[in-house]
């Protein structure tokens, strides 16, 4: 499997971890350490790597019968040949028509469009309440963060936030809006985050830490 190498001035020894979302190994080593020796050391841990990969939860393929979370609740994809091509969300069922082989890509596009609409609404609403100016709002699929805010007021989010409960999504929105005031993670930033959210953001942060990897296994 692929190995992502990261040199760090703070590293004092080799460190090996498995990124289940990307399906790759991460090898950290001191800045001046020998890469050849580090790779040889990693090779000695093959049994551990195999054990970790065997315990990796299976991904969710977006196809007929698949169950995935939508805003925190389980939804099942139901494909029917006679269903309208436009998807319909009916309680806990997402009814999809059209060609069976196109179900996955179409559901993914539907999720991304729904994510952008929800995140745009949440961002504009909270920004207006707190007198904050937002430039552009977009979505992507980053692996290491749920949102990002640039100095020009543009904000991007992970589309996968639409899979999480709404309060988790709004906490992420408040986090990025707080960066419009403080482009760091200082005590002033954390105070602004809580003020914009109107609640303690720590439970949402803990939820993402516990369940975030599962969201990356969908689709």
């Amino acid at each position: 499997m692929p190995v992502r190498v990261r040199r760090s001035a703070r590293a004092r020894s080799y460190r090996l971890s498995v990124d289940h979302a990307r399906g790759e190994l991460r090898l950290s080593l001191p800045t001046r350490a020998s890469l050849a020796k580090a790779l040889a050391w990693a090779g000695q841990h093959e049994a551990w790597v195999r054990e970790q990969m065997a315990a990796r939860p299976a991904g969710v393929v977006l196809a007929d019968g698949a169950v995935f979370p939508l805003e925190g609740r389980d939804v099942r994809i139901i494909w029917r040949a006679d269903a309208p091509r436009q998807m319909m969300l009916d309680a806990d069922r997402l009814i999809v028509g059209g060609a069976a082989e196109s179900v996955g890509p179409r559901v993914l596009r539907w999720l991304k469009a729904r994510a952008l609409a929800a995140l745009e609404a949440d961002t504009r609403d909270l920004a207006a309440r707190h007198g904050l100016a937002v430039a552009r709002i977009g979505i992507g699929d980053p692996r290491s963060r749920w949102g990002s805010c640039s100095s020009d007021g543009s904000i991007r989010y992970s589309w996968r936030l639409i899979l999480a409960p709404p309060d988790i999504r709004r906490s992420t929105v408040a986090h990025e809006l707080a960066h419009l005031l403080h482009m760091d993670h200082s005590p002033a930033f954390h105070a602004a985050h809580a003020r914009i959210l109107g609640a303690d953001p720590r439970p949402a942060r803990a939820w993402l830490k516990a369940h975030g990897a599962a969201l990356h296994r969908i689709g």
Side-chain angles (χ1 to χ4, degrees):
M1 62 188 301
V3 178
R4 183 179 295 272
V5 176
R6 178 176 179 271
R7 293 184 180 272
S8 171
R10 293 180 295 179
R12 294 291 178 266
S13 60
Y14 305 141
R15 182 175 181 272
L16 196 62
S17 61
V18 178
D19 183 341
H20 288 299
R22 289 180 178 268
E24 66 184 16
L25 287 176
R26 288 185 174 181
L27 173 61
S28 300
L29 63 156
T31 304
R32 297 185 178 182
S34 165
L35 177 59
K37 291 182 178 180
L39 290 172
W41 172 86
Q44 298 171 10
H45 294 76
E46 180 181 350
W48 177 83
V49 172
R50 289 184 180 277
E51 180 181 321
Q52 294 297 308
M53 294 307 295
R56 178 188 182 189
V60 176
V61 178
L62 298 174
D64 181 33
V67 176
F68 67 92
L70 176 64
E71 299 193 74
R73 71 183 194 277
D74 284 344
V75 170
R76 183 179 297 276
I77 299 173
I78 304 295
W79 174 78
R80 295 204 314 249
D82 61 342
R85 184 170 178 79
Q86 184 174 356
M87 278 175 273
M88 180 177 66
L89 183 62
D90 179 19
D92 61 350
R93 302 184 305 160
L94 180 62
I95 301 172
V96 186
E101 61 271 18
S102 69
V103 168
R106 289 176 55 222
V107 170
L108 184 58
R109 288 195 297 272
W110 181 84
L111 284 170
K112 289 181 177 180
R114 191 178 179 94
L116 180 58
L119 288 161
E120 175 104 30
D122 286 345
T123 303
R124 298 296 180 191
D125 175 53
L126 283 178
R129 292 187 187 188
H130 295 274
L132 299 172
V134 178
R136 294 176 299 277
I137 299 169
I139 58 170
D141 193 15
R143 295 290 179 174
S144 60
R145 59 178 62 187
W146 297 101
S148 61
C149 178
S150 62
S151 57
D152 68 355
S154 297
I155 297 177
R156 287 184 63 81
Y157 299 102
S158 167
W159 71 264
R160 296 176 186 276
L161 286 168
I162 197 63
L163 307 174
D167 60 314
I168 306 301
R169 185 182 72 231
R170 285 180 69 85
S171 180
T172 304
V173 169
H175 180 108
E176 299 311 324
L177 289 174
H179 276 311
L180 294 175
L181 301 172
H182 306 280
M183 294 297 285
D184 53 30
H185 288 100
S186 62
F189 163 82
H190 291 297
H193 184 186
R195 184 174 68 254
I196 293 169
L197 181 61
D200 184 352
R202 286 177 294 184
R205 189 161 56 243
W207 190 97
L208 282 173
K209 185 175 182 179
H211 302 284
L215 301 187
H216 281 288
R217 290 193 291 269
I218 295 170

